[in-house]
Amino acid sequence: MDNFKLKGILILAVLVIALFFAIPSFLGDKELPQGWIGPKSKIHLGLDLKGGIHMVLKVESEKAVEGRLGIIANDLKPQMISARIRYSKVAFQAPDKLTVQVRSKEDSDSLSKLMGDSYPYLTEKDSKSEEGGMTTLTYQIKADEAQKIQKQAVEQALETVRNRINGLGISETSTIPEGNDRIVVQIPGLTDPERAKKIIGKTAALEFKLLDEEHSVDSAVAGDVPEGDYVAYSKDGHQPYLLRQQAVLNGSMIDDARVSIKSSYNEPYVSISFNSDGARIFEQVTRENVGKRLAILLDGRVYSAPVIRDAISGGKAMIEGRFTDQEARDLAIVLR
């Protein structure tokens, strides 16, 4: 009988302690009594108690390697011109190779030196002589560098997802890596799951591409697309643009993205700033293409295509697209 009483007292004590620690949760948004010396934080409810969403995201890390090679291919051309290396073609082959066609053995030797100085993480895999003295050299990204880029892609994706969730103002979330290329996201108590899914899972492939203004966009829409070009459409899907296939810049070179307001029209736009490599390439592209139009694309849609008036230094640009305040905020979150 005494043991029964002792067990009852212990159970009662446990219940009292549990209720004591649960008081902040019972009060909801109300303030704790003045002078309260007990626990101040609420009990965090998981998906099993509070509901919410559970997502598993796959990071396409191999695309990061292809993206790096695409930028190198574009950056290499002006360097070869400066070094007086005569070339016919530069292209990258998925997933990890870059080919360069030069006009002579002397150009081949000069290119090998340039590649060794500028891109030590690329190794020459093949050299093939062709008719007319042409030589095609193939470079491959080193395995350890490719792994490093892929690892960085997963780390950046993890940070990106966390930043997007923070931008939504959601607390008590869980964002953890799983395996080599997956991210598990849990968001308890989410009230707007569709918006969160749209923002968290969005690819956000930002690219800058030059317009082909030498050929007819109407002819291209009808099916006569010049080699090296393709047709893309505006954000609303109505306006066609004839673009060069190769991007001159992509989102990997962005440092930050913020919403700003154009005072003259009171319209929101997204201002972006590039890292050091992006700033250098952006200035070079704008300097060499004054008077031409540069399209800014997000996930394949053209958000704006302004005329380049002057070389743009300082590593800053803006994305306009007649956004609502919410669309501009969401786009800034995605780009960050």
Side-chain angles (χ1 to χ4, degrees):
M1 194 67 170
D2 290 339
N3 287 338
F4 182 77
K5 288 181 179 180
L6 180 60
K7 288 180 181 179
I9 293 170
L10 288 174
I11 291 171
L12 182 60
V14 170
L15 287 173
V16 170
I17 293 171
L19 288 171
F20 177 72
F21 278 94
I23 285 175
S25 297
F26 288 141
L27 290 175
D29 296 331
K30 297 179 181 179
E31 294 184 4
L32 292 166
Q34 191 171 3
W36 174 258
I37 60 172
K40 295 179 175 58
S41 59
K42 299 178 183 178
I43 297 173
H44 298 312
L45 303 179
L47 293 179
D48 52 345
L49 296 175
K50 199 175 182 180
I53 65 171
H54 175 100
M55 301 174 66
V56 180
L57 308 177
K58 185 180 185 301
V59 182
E60 294 184 333
S61 55
E62 66 279 358
K63 295 291 185 182
V65 178
E66 293 181 27
R68 174 70 67 85
L69 286 174
I71 295 299
I72 290 173
N74 214 52
D75 191 36
L76 181 59
K77 295 174 185 177
Q79 293 194 61
M80 288 193 293
I81 293 172
S82 297
R84 299 183 182 278
I85 298 172
R86 296 169 299 166
Y87 71 94
S88 300
K89 184 172 63 175
V90 180
F92 75 93
Q93 300 174 348
D96 60 354
K97 290 185 176 66
L98 180 74
T99 59
V100 184
Q101 188 179 63
V102 295
R103 297 183 179 276
S104 69
K105 178 66 169 60
E106 291 76 14
D107 293 319
S108 176
D109 294 339
S110 298
L111 177 62
S112 296
K113 183 178 185 309
L114 173 63
M115 297 298 286
D117 293 340
S118 300
Y119 310 105
Y121 47 84
L122 296 180
T123 181
E124 187 175 321
K125 299 297 291 184
D126 186 33
S127 177
K128 184 172 68 174
S129 297
E130 301 175 6
E131 293 183 7
M134 294 282 196
T135 302
T136 298
L137 297 98
T138 300
Y139 295 89
Q140 184 174 29
I141 194 163
K142 294 179 180 178
D144 57 344
E145 181 68 16
Q147 291 172 0
K148 178 182 175 183
I149 293 170
Q150 290 177 325
K151 182 180 178 182
Q152 287 175 342
V154 174
E155 291 172 348
Q156 289 170 352
L158 184 63
E159 184 65 22
T160 297
V161 170
R162 286 173 176 162
N163 286 341
R164 292 179 185 183
I165 293 174
N166 291 338
L168 289 169
I170 301 169
S171 60
E172 303 177 16
T173 61
S174 171
T175 310
I176 56 174
E178 181 180 76
N180 295 325
D181 61 355
R182 284 175 168 76
I183 297 172
V184 177
V185 179
Q186 291 185 341
I187 311 177
L190 189 64
T191 58
D192 190 358
E194 291 308 315
R195 180 182 169 220
K197 288 178 185 179
K198 183 178 178 181
I199 291 177
I200 294 168
K202 194 174 180 64
T203 303
L206 179 71
E207 298 174 301
F208 293 75
K209 296 185 176 183
L210 290 166
L211 272 70
D212 182 350
E213 299 178 87
E214 299 174 1
H215 297 90
S216 168
V217 65
D218 292 332
S219 298
V221 170
D224 184 15
V225 181
E227 183 178 356
D229 290 356
Y230 76 107
V231 176
Y233 286 85
S234 57
K235 176 188 168 188
D236 60 11
H238 295 152
Q239 177 68 41
Y241 296 88
L242 184 59
L243 305 179
R244 304 293 188 186
Q245 281 279 1
Q246 183 61 51
V248 295
L249 278 166
N250 64 25
S252 68
M253 296 184 171
I254 287 182
D255 259 347
D256 198 10
R258 301 285 171 185
V259 177
S260 301
I261 302 295
K262 188 181 292 186
S263 57
S264 55
Y265 299 101
N266 199 31
E267 288 184 355
Y269 66 92
V270 178
S271 60
I272 57 178
S273 58
F274 297 103
N275 61 23
S276 57
D277 285 342
R280 174 179 57 81
I281 295 173
F282 190 61
E283 181 176 4
Q284 175 184 303
V285 168
T286 53
R287 183 175 62 250
E288 294 176 353
N289 293 280
V290 172
K292 298 180 181 179
R293 297 175 69 189
L294 181 66
I296 303 172
L297 298 93
L298 182 67
D299 295 338
R301 292 288 188 179
V302 177
Y303 274 66
S304 60
V307 176
I308 301 171
R309 301 297 183 188
D310 294 292
I312 303 174
S313 59
K316 296 188 182 298
M318 66 172 64
I319 302 177
E320 298 175 300
R322 295 188 177 181
F323 303 115
T324 65
D325 291 340
Q326 186 66 69
E327 287 173 338
R329 283 195 298 270
D330 288 353
L331 176 56
I333 292 170
V334 166
L335 294 179
R336 287 199 299 273

